[in-house]
Amino acid sequence: MDLIKIAEDAFKTETKERPSFGAGDTISISYKIKEGNKERIQIFKGVVIQIKGAGSAKMMTVRKMSGNQGVERIFPLNSPFIESIEVNRYGKVRRKRIYYLRGLTGKKARIKERRM
């Protein structure tokens, strides 16, 4: 009997249907941002570097290039601020955590596309 799991099940709310994706896939996340009393939706498009955790504590790290600078953002998968997740490309990688992408730039940072 795992008490943490029982507590999570008791407080679980209905979760939105999310597409299946993994490391190497390019996704667009529509994220709600509150600025004062206004609320807007910002789209963050990048490559999934890793997915870690389990159940309601699942997190994903998404990396995008903003000009010459690499920007990484960690999103909780079950966050109420995530409006939608859309998979743009399925990438073909051999690992679950592709940290080596941080050191690559230009054509070397390309990921082959996985045919569905």
Side-chain angles (χ1 to χ4, degrees), residues 17-90:
E17 194 63 35
R18 304 276 190 226
S20 63
F21 56 89
D25 297 346
T26 304
I27 61 172
S28 298
I29 301 171
S30 301
Y31 200 74
K32 285 185 202 168
I33 294 177
K34 283 188 177 178
E35 292 173 335
N37 57 357
K38 284 189 270 182
E39 197 175 87
R40 65 183 177 88
I41 293 176
Q42 187 177 41
I43 296 174
F44 192 90
K45 182 179 178 181
V47 177
V48 178
I49 286 190
Q50 72 168 347
I51 297 175
K52 66 179 178 180
S56 62
K58 211 168 197 180
M59 310 280 265
M60 62 183 162
T61 306
V62 182
R63 179 182 176 86
K64 77 172 183 177
M65 292 303 288
S66 181
N68 258 355
Q69 211 72 38
V71 178
E72 286 185 17
R73 190 150 177 208
I74 300 169
F75 293 98
L77 204 58
N78 296 321
S79 171
F81 295 111
I82 293 179
E83 190 74 21
S84 66
I85 297 175
E86 181 185 331
V87 180
N88 303 105
R89 271 179 85 217
Y90 289 99

Side-chain angles (χ1 to χ4, degrees), residues 47 49 63-72 92-93 95 97-112:
V47 177
I49 286 190
R63 179 182 176 86
K64 77 172 183 177
M65 292 303 288
S66 181
N68 258 355
Q69 211 72 38
V71 178
E72 286 185 17
K92 184 178 178 184
V93 291
R95 302 177 186 198
R97 303 193 174 177
I98 52 174
Y99 299 133
Y100 64 85
L101 210 64
R102 293 172 178 163
L104 303 177
T105 55
K107 283 188 176 181
K108 291 177 184 160
R110 285 189 298 191
I111 296 173
K112 286 185 179 174

